[in-house]
mmCIF file of all heavy atoms in Angstrom:
data_model
loop_
_atom_site.group_PDB
_atom_site.id
_atom_site.type_symbol
_atom_site.label_atom_id
_atom_site.label_comp_id
_atom_site.label_asym_id
_atom_site.label_seq_id
_atom_site.Cartn_x
_atom_site.Cartn_y
_atom_site.Cartn_z
ATOM 1 N N GLY L 21 49.922 64.846 151.971
ATOM 2 C CA GLY L 21 50.023 65.417 153.253
ATOM 3 C C GLY L 21 51.341 66.070 153.547
ATOM 4 O O GLY L 21 52.298 65.918 152.753
ATOM 5 N N GLN L 22 51.514 66.756 154.586
ATOM 6 C CA GLN L 22 52.821 67.431 154.983
ATOM 7 C C GLN L 22 53.436 66.756 156.090
ATOM 8 O O GLN L 22 52.989 66.830 157.224
ATOM 9 C CB GLN L 22 52.519 68.866 155.442
ATOM 10 C CG GLN L 22 53.698 69.644 155.596
ATOM 11 C CD GLN L 22 54.538 69.799 154.266
ATOM 12 O OE1 GLN L 22 54.017 69.943 153.227
ATOM 13 N NE2 GLN L 22 55.889 69.794 154.408
ATOM 14 N N GLY L 23 54.552 65.986 155.845
ATOM 15 C CA GLY L 23 55.292 65.231 156.822
ATOM 16 C C GLY L 23 56.402 66.032 157.471
ATOM 17 O O GLY L 23 56.707 67.211 156.988
ATOM 18 N N LEU L 24 57.052 65.517 158.411
ATOM 19 C CA LEU L 24 58.174 66.215 158.983
ATOM 20 C C LEU L 24 59.340 66.600 158.034
ATOM 21 O O LEU L 24 60.068 67.489 158.164
ATOM 22 C CB LEU L 24 58.764 65.385 160.140
ATOM 23 C CG LEU L 24 57.987 65.120 161.360
ATOM 24 C CD1 LEU L 24 58.568 64.210 162.372
ATOM 25 C CD2 LEU L 24 57.614 66.525 162.012
ATOM 26 N N ASN L 25 59.486 65.806 157.031
ATOM 27 C CA ASN L 25 60.615 65.945 155.933
ATOM 28 C C ASN L 25 60.017 66.476 154.628
ATOM 29 O O ASN L 25 60.755 66.389 153.626
ATOM 30 C CB ASN L 25 61.300 64.716 155.771
ATOM 31 C CG ASN L 25 61.950 64.115 156.978
ATOM 32 O OD1 ASN L 25 62.601 64.951 157.717
ATOM 33 N ND2 ASN L 25 61.931 62.858 157.214
ATOM 34 N N GLY L 26 58.717 66.991 154.622
ATOM 35 C CA GLY L 26 58.259 67.608 153.417
ATOM 36 C C GLY L 26 56.999 66.832 152.919
ATOM 37 O O GLY L 26 56.348 66.148 153.742
ATOM 38 N N LEU L 27 56.641 67.113 151.703
ATOM 39 C CA LEU L 27 55.496 66.610 151.136
ATOM 40 C C LEU L 27 55.445 64.991 150.985
ATOM 41 O O LEU L 27 56.516 64.459 150.670
ATOM 42 C CB LEU L 27 55.274 67.228 149.722
ATOM 43 C CG LEU L 27 53.946 66.774 149.003
ATOM 44 C CD1 LEU L 27 52.728 67.292 149.673
ATOM 45 C CD2 LEU L 27 54.031 67.208 147.510
ATOM 46 N N VAL L 28 54.390 64.517 151.379
ATOM 47 C CA VAL L 28 54.097 63.059 151.315
ATOM 48 C C VAL L 28 53.156 62.744 150.197
ATOM 49 O O VAL L 28 51.982 63.455 150.251
ATOM 50 C CB VAL L 28 53.726 62.425 152.604
ATOM 51 C CG1 VAL L 28 53.393 60.952 152.326
ATOM 52 C CG2 VAL L 28 54.735 62.627 153.678
ATOM 53 N N ALA L 29 53.300 61.885 149.198
ATOM 54 C CA ALA L 29 52.261 61.642 148.263
ATOM 55 C C ALA L 29 52.276 60.092 147.829
ATOM 56 O O ALA L 29 53.361 59.639 147.609
ATOM 57 C CB ALA L 29 52.541 62.526 147.004
ATOM 58 N N VAL L 30 51.180 59.576 147.893
ATOM 59 C CA VAL L 30 51.051 58.105 147.646
ATOM 60 C C VAL L 30 49.833 57.835 146.741
ATOM 61 O O VAL L 30 48.785 58.471 146.927
ATOM 62 C CB VAL L 30 50.794 57.303 149.008
ATOM 63 C CG1 VAL L 30 50.714 55.828 148.698
ATOM 64 C CG2 VAL L 30 52.030 57.627 150.054
ATOM 65 N N THR L 31 49.978 57.017 145.666
ATOM 66 C CA THR L 31 48.847 56.736 144.893
ATOM 67 C C THR L 31 48.261 55.474 145.335
ATOM 68 O O THR L 31 48.995 54.510 145.771
ATOM 69 C CB THR L 31 49.273 56.514 143.396
ATOM 70 O OG1 THR L 31 50.303 55.630 143.268
ATOM 71 C CG2 THR L 31 49.842 57.925 142.881
ATOM 72 N N CYS L 32 47.023 55.309 145.225
ATOM 73 C CA CYS L 32 46.258 54.097 145.592
ATOM 74 C C CYS L 32 45.240 53.799 144.397
ATOM 75 O O CYS L 32 44.677 54.640 143.724
ATOM 76 C CB CYS L 32 45.508 54.242 146.828
ATOM 77 S SG CYS L 32 46.481 54.588 148.214
ATOM 78 N N GLU L 33 44.956 52.459 144.127
ATOM 79 C CA GLU L 33 43.952 52.119 143.092
ATOM 80 C C GLU L 33 42.546 52.152 143.546
ATOM 81 O O GLU L 33 41.683 52.138 142.639
ATOM 82 C CB GLU L 33 44.296 50.721 142.623
ATOM 83 C CG GLU L 33 45.749 50.771 141.923
ATOM 84 C CD GLU L 33 46.053 49.449 141.122
ATOM 85 O OE1 GLU L 33 45.055 48.621 140.934
ATOM 86 O OE2 GLU L 33 47.272 49.231 140.901
ATOM 87 N N THR L 34 42.239 52.023 144.823
ATOM 88 C CA THR L 34 40.889 52.134 145.268
ATOM 89 C C THR L 34 40.613 53.119 146.329
ATOM 90 O O THR L 34 41.614 53.499 147.138
ATOM 91 C CB THR L 34 40.425 50.667 145.881
ATOM 92 O OG1 THR L 34 41.254 50.433 147.089
ATOM 93 C CG2 THR L 34 40.867 49.506 144.879
ATOM 94 N N ALA L 35 39.366 53.358 146.549
ATOM 95 C CA ALA L 35 39.011 54.382 147.589
ATOM 96 C C ALA L 35 39.273 53.795 148.973
ATOM 97 O O ALA L 35 39.838 54.553 149.881
ATOM 98 C CB ALA L 35 37.470 54.714 147.483
ATOM 99 N N ALA L 36 39.142 52.493 149.167
ATOM 100 C CA ALA L 36 39.285 51.858 150.420
ATOM 101 C C ALA L 36 40.899 51.959 150.785
ATOM 102 O O ALA L 36 41.269 52.217 151.971
ATOM 103 C CB ALA L 36 38.832 50.387 150.398
ATOM 104 N N ALA L 37 41.737 51.651 149.798
ATOM 105 C CA ALA L 37 43.129 51.727 150.010
ATOM 106 C C ALA L 37 43.607 53.168 150.344
ATOM 107 O O ALA L 37 44.382 53.332 151.193
ATOM 108 C CB ALA L 37 43.831 51.151 148.818
ATOM 109 N N ALA L 38 42.978 54.111 149.579
ATOM 110 C CA ALA L 38 43.388 55.509 149.876
ATOM 111 C C ALA L 38 42.954 56.024 151.203
ATOM 112 O O ALA L 38 43.786 56.567 152.020
ATOM 113 C CB ALA L 38 42.734 56.363 148.796
ATOM 114 N N VAL L 39 41.819 55.600 151.702
ATOM 115 C CA VAL L 39 41.307 55.932 153.105
ATOM 116 C C VAL L 39 42.134 55.292 154.143
ATOM 117 O O VAL L 39 42.600 55.887 155.074
ATOM 118 C CB VAL L 39 39.790 55.499 153.268
ATOM 119 C CG1 VAL L 39 39.354 55.743 154.766
ATOM 120 C CG2 VAL L 39 38.933 56.467 152.345
ATOM 121 N N GLU L 40 42.563 53.967 153.945
ATOM 122 C CA GLU L 40 43.326 53.291 154.791
ATOM 123 C C GLU L 40 44.817 53.965 154.904
ATOM 124 O O GLU L 40 45.280 54.184 156.016
ATOM 125 C CB GLU L 40 43.557 51.771 154.342
ATOM 126 C CG GLU L 40 44.338 51.069 155.289
ATOM 127 C CD GLU L 40 44.526 49.553 154.829
ATOM 128 O OE1 GLU L 40 43.688 49.043 154.040
ATOM 129 O OE2 GLU L 40 45.484 48.910 155.249
ATOM 130 N N LYS L 41 45.372 54.234 153.742
ATOM 131 C CA LYS L 41 46.681 54.960 153.830
ATOM 132 C C LYS L 41 46.550 56.396 154.437
ATOM 133 O O LYS L 41 47.390 56.787 155.205
ATOM 134 C CB LYS L 41 47.198 55.048 152.330
ATOM 135 C CG LYS L 41 48.493 55.639 152.404
ATOM 136 C CD LYS L 41 49.526 54.733 152.956
ATOM 137 C CE LYS L 41 50.940 55.303 152.994
ATOM 138 N NZ LYS L 41 51.874 54.427 153.664
ATOM 139 N N ALA L 42 45.578 57.094 154.175
ATOM 140 C CA ALA L 42 45.311 58.450 154.751
ATOM 141 C C ALA L 42 45.263 58.333 156.285
ATOM 142 O O ALA L 42 45.879 59.104 157.003
ATOM 143 C CB ALA L 42 44.102 59.062 154.167
ATOM 144 N N ARG L 43 44.423 57.506 156.648
ATOM 145 C CA ARG L 43 44.340 57.315 158.170
ATOM 146 C C ARG L 43 45.677 56.882 158.796
ATOM 147 O O ARG L 43 45.976 57.335 159.834
ATOM 148 C CB ARG L 43 43.263 56.207 158.501
ATOM 149 C CG ARG L 43 41.828 56.799 158.120
ATOM 150 C CD ARG L 43 40.731 55.785 158.420
ATOM 151 N NE ARG L 43 39.446 56.433 158.195
ATOM 152 C CZ ARG L 43 38.404 55.638 158.083
ATOM 153 N NH1 ARG L 43 38.356 54.438 157.880
ATOM 154 N NH2 ARG L 43 37.181 56.327 157.847
ATOM 155 N N ALA L 44 46.366 56.050 158.052
ATOM 156 C CA ALA L 44 47.714 55.725 158.648
ATOM 157 C C ALA L 44 48.671 56.803 158.725
ATOM 158 O O ALA L 44 49.445 56.968 159.731
ATOM 159 C CB ALA L 44 48.380 54.500 157.786
ATOM 160 N N LEU L 45 48.641 57.747 157.696
ATOM 161 C CA LEU L 45 49.489 58.898 157.697
ATOM 162 C C LEU L 45 49.014 59.789 158.842
ATOM 163 O O LEU L 45 49.956 60.377 159.438
ATOM 164 C CB LEU L 45 49.354 59.635 156.302
ATOM 165 C CG LEU L 45 49.997 58.928 155.157
ATOM 166 C CD1 LEU L 45 49.697 59.750 153.872
ATOM 167 C CD2 LEU L 45 51.424 58.840 155.273
ATOM 168 N N ILE L 46 47.794 60.059 159.039
ATOM 169 C CA ILE L 46 47.306 60.849 160.074
ATOM 170 C C ILE L 46 47.764 60.272 161.423
ATOM 171 O O ILE L 46 48.346 61.075 162.351
ATOM 172 C CB ILE L 46 45.723 60.977 160.081
ATOM 173 C CG1 ILE L 46 45.393 61.813 158.897
ATOM 174 C CG2 ILE L 46 45.278 61.584 161.324
ATOM 175 C CD1 ILE L 46 43.945 61.821 158.577
ATOM 176 N N ALA L 47 47.715 58.988 161.570
ATOM 177 C CA ALA L 47 48.198 58.364 162.756
ATOM 178 C C ALA L 47 49.643 58.538 163.025
ATOM 179 O O ALA L 47 50.140 58.630 164.198
ATOM 180 C CB ALA L 47 47.752 56.857 162.933
ATOM 181 N N ASP L 48 50.425 58.651 161.980
ATOM 182 C CA ASP L 48 51.880 58.843 162.147
ATOM 183 C C ASP L 48 52.274 60.367 162.235
ATOM 184 O O ASP L 48 53.379 60.707 162.245
ATOM 185 C CB ASP L 48 52.507 58.337 160.792
ATOM 186 C CG ASP L 48 52.526 56.841 160.775
ATOM 187 O OD1 ASP L 48 52.275 56.182 161.789
ATOM 188 O OD2 ASP L 48 52.730 56.259 159.651
ATOM 189 N N GLY L 49 51.258 61.194 162.267
ATOM 190 C CA GLY L 49 51.489 62.591 162.519
ATOM 191 C C GLY L 49 51.566 63.473 161.388
ATOM 192 O O GLY L 49 51.948 64.708 161.330
ATOM 193 N N VAL L 50 51.271 62.881 160.182
ATOM 194 C CA VAL L 50 51.278 63.761 158.937
ATOM 195 C C VAL L 50 50.098 64.711 158.982
ATOM 196 O O VAL L 50 49.045 64.358 159.376
ATOM 197 C CB VAL L 50 51.095 62.822 157.682
ATOM 198 C CG1 VAL L 50 51.147 63.660 156.419
ATOM 199 C CG2 VAL L 50 52.374 61.931 157.604
ATOM 200 N N LEU L 51 50.316 66.021 158.556
ATOM 201 C CA LEU L 51 49.347 67.150 158.712
ATOM 202 C C LEU L 51 48.849 67.311 157.243
ATOM 203 O O LEU L 51 49.300 66.906 156.242
ATOM 204 C CB LEU L 51 50.093 68.365 159.122
ATOM 205 C CG LEU L 51 50.708 68.286 160.547
ATOM 206 C CD1 LEU L 51 51.421 69.657 160.870
ATOM 207 C CD2 LEU L 51 49.753 67.997 161.618
ATOM 208 N N ASP L 52 47.656 67.961 157.226
ATOM 209 C CA ASP L 52 46.895 68.448 156.054
ATOM 210 C C ASP L 52 46.781 67.248 155.031
ATOM 211 O O ASP L 52 46.950 67.402 153.855
ATOM 212 C CB ASP L 52 47.706 69.570 155.311
ATOM 213 C CG ASP L 52 48.009 70.754 156.305
ATOM 214 O OD1 ASP L 52 46.972 71.083 157.073
ATOM 215 O OD2 ASP L 52 49.041 71.413 156.225
ATOM 216 N N VAL L 53 46.371 66.075 155.511
ATOM 217 C CA VAL L 53 46.099 64.997 154.638
ATOM 218 C C VAL L 53 44.856 65.173 153.877
ATOM 219 O O VAL L 53 43.855 65.501 154.464
ATOM 220 C CB VAL L 53 46.045 63.608 155.533
ATOM 221 C CG1 VAL L 53 45.708 62.456 154.654
ATOM 222 C CG2 VAL L 53 47.346 63.395 156.263
ATOM 223 N N LEU L 54 44.984 64.994 152.505
ATOM 224 C CA LEU L 54 43.835 65.017 151.577
ATOM 225 C C LEU L 54 43.867 63.809 150.676
ATOM 226 O O LEU L 54 44.967 63.270 150.441
ATOM 227 C CB LEU L 54 43.978 66.247 150.680
ATOM 228 C CG LEU L 54 43.812 67.570 151.440
ATOM 229 C CD1 LEU L 54 44.103 68.657 150.430
ATOM 230 C CD2 LEU L 54 42.360 67.706 151.947
ATOM 231 N N ILE L 55 42.799 63.406 150.124
ATOM 232 C CA ILE L 55 42.801 62.387 149.212
ATOM 233 C C ILE L 55 42.187 63.066 147.908
ATOM 234 O O ILE L 55 41.007 63.646 147.956
ATOM 235 C CB ILE L 55 41.817 61.194 149.584
ATOM 236 C CG1 ILE L 55 42.413 60.441 150.832
ATOM 237 C CG2 ILE L 55 41.669 60.258 148.346
ATOM 238 C CD1 ILE L 55 41.498 59.353 151.288
ATOM 239 N N ALA L 56 42.820 63.005 146.752
ATOM 240 C CA ALA L 56 42.314 63.537 145.494
ATOM 241 C C ALA L 56 41.947 62.348 144.660
ATOM 242 O O ALA L 56 42.591 61.413 144.542
ATOM 243 C CB ALA L 56 43.468 64.289 144.739
ATOM 244 N N ASP L 57 40.759 62.484 144.037
ATOM 245 C CA ASP L 57 40.282 61.453 143.159
ATOM 246 C C ASP L 57 40.761 61.753 141.764
ATOM 247 O O ASP L 57 41.283 62.769 141.466
ATOM 248 C CB ASP L 57 38.830 61.131 143.252
ATOM 249 C CG ASP L 57 37.928 62.474 142.894
ATOM 250 O OD1 ASP L 57 38.505 63.218 142.096
ATOM 251 O OD2 ASP L 57 36.849 62.563 143.386
ATOM 252 N N ALA L 58 40.298 60.841 140.802
ATOM 253 C CA ALA L 58 40.734 61.003 139.411
ATOM 254 C C ALA L 58 40.151 62.140 138.643
ATOM 255 O O ALA L 58 40.661 62.675 137.729
ATOM 256 C CB ALA L 58 40.354 59.702 138.566
ATOM 257 N N ASP L 59 39.116 62.722 139.236
ATOM 258 C CA ASP L 59 38.467 63.923 138.698
ATOM 259 C C ASP L 59 39.099 65.212 139.238
ATOM 260 O O ASP L 59 38.581 66.357 138.969
ATOM 261 C CB ASP L 59 37.023 63.912 138.938
ATOM 262 C CG ASP L 59 36.194 62.667 138.210
ATOM 263 O OD1 ASP L 59 36.735 62.523 137.130
ATOM 264 O OD2 ASP L 59 35.263 62.168 138.794
ATOM 265 N N GLY L 60 40.132 65.092 140.164
ATOM 266 C CA GLY L 60 40.765 66.244 140.743
ATOM 267 C C GLY L 60 40.082 66.754 142.056
ATOM 268 O O GLY L 60 40.483 67.696 142.609
ATOM 269 N N ARG L 61 38.987 66.107 142.428
ATOM 270 C CA ARG L 61 38.310 66.604 143.652
ATOM 271 C C ARG L 61 39.153 66.203 144.961
ATOM 272 O O ARG L 61 39.667 65.181 144.947
ATOM 273 C CB ARG L 61 36.851 66.117 143.847
ATOM 274 C CG ARG L 61 35.926 66.577 142.956
ATOM 275 C CD ARG L 61 34.485 66.135 143.119
ATOM 276 N NE ARG L 61 34.344 64.725 142.856
ATOM 277 C CZ ARG L 61 33.926 64.287 141.609
ATOM 278 N NH1 ARG L 61 33.652 65.024 140.687
ATOM 279 N NH2 ARG L 61 33.841 63.006 141.460
ATOM 280 N N GLN L 62 39.215 67.024 145.907
ATOM 281 C CA GLN L 62 40.075 66.751 147.022
ATOM 282 C C GLN L 62 39.077 66.531 148.213
ATOM 283 O O GLN L 62 38.147 67.357 148.393
ATOM 284 C CB GLN L 62 41.012 67.855 147.504
ATOM 285 C CG GLN L 62 42.079 68.105 146.271
ATOM 286 C CD GLN L 62 43.013 69.041 146.789
ATOM 287 O OE1 GLN L 62 42.902 69.906 147.655
ATOM 288 N NE2 GLN L 62 44.306 69.032 146.019
ATOM 289 N N HIS L 63 39.398 65.500 149.004
ATOM 290 C CA HIS L 63 38.543 65.126 150.059
ATOM 291 C C HIS L 63 39.383 65.147 151.373
ATOM 292 O O HIS L 63 40.349 64.358 151.503
ATOM 293 C CB HIS L 63 38.160 63.647 149.822
ATOM 294 C CG HIS L 63 37.433 63.466 148.477
ATOM 295 N ND1 HIS L 63 36.162 63.706 148.348
ATOM 296 C CD2 HIS L 63 37.954 63.105 147.367
ATOM 297 C CE1 HIS L 63 35.766 63.489 147.016
ATOM 298 N NE2 HIS L 63 36.866 63.097 146.371
ATOM 299 N N PRO L 64 38.882 66.058 152.295
ATOM 300 C CA PRO L 64 39.528 66.162 153.569
ATOM 301 C C PRO L 64 39.134 64.915 154.453
ATOM 302 O O PRO L 64 38.225 64.222 154.189
ATOM 303 C CB PRO L 64 39.193 67.312 154.174
ATOM 304 C CG PRO L 64 37.868 67.723 153.534
ATOM 305 C CD PRO L 64 37.933 67.004 152.141
ATOM 306 N N PRO L 65 39.715 64.681 155.651
ATOM 307 C CA PRO L 65 39.442 63.650 156.469
ATOM 308 C C PRO L 65 37.876 63.439 156.818
ATOM 309 O O PRO L 65 37.356 62.361 156.853
ATOM 310 C CB PRO L 65 40.295 63.884 157.731
ATOM 311 C CG PRO L 65 41.499 64.530 157.284
ATOM 312 C CD PRO L 65 40.932 65.457 156.128
#
């Protein structure tokens, strides 16, 4: 996602952890949050 200080990138081992982190980033005001899976597919909120 795009935070106030630039790009934010976090890796997660499970889909549930990724969704939880993505939702937390959105709640913190991070923009353009996406989750990319191991196959390179990007998933918007």
Side-chain angles (χ1 to χ4, degrees):
Q22 187 64 38
L24 292 175
N25 296 320
L27 181 67
V28 176
V30 180
T31 58
C32 299
E33 292 187 18
T34 66
V39 170
E40 182 179 337
K41 185 61 180 179
R43 288 179 176 158
L45 290 174
I46 292 168
D48 287 342
V50 175
L51 302 175
D52 302 323
V53 174
L54 294 172
I55 298 174
D57 62 25
D59 295 324
R61 286 188 293 266
Q62 294 188 341
H63 306 273

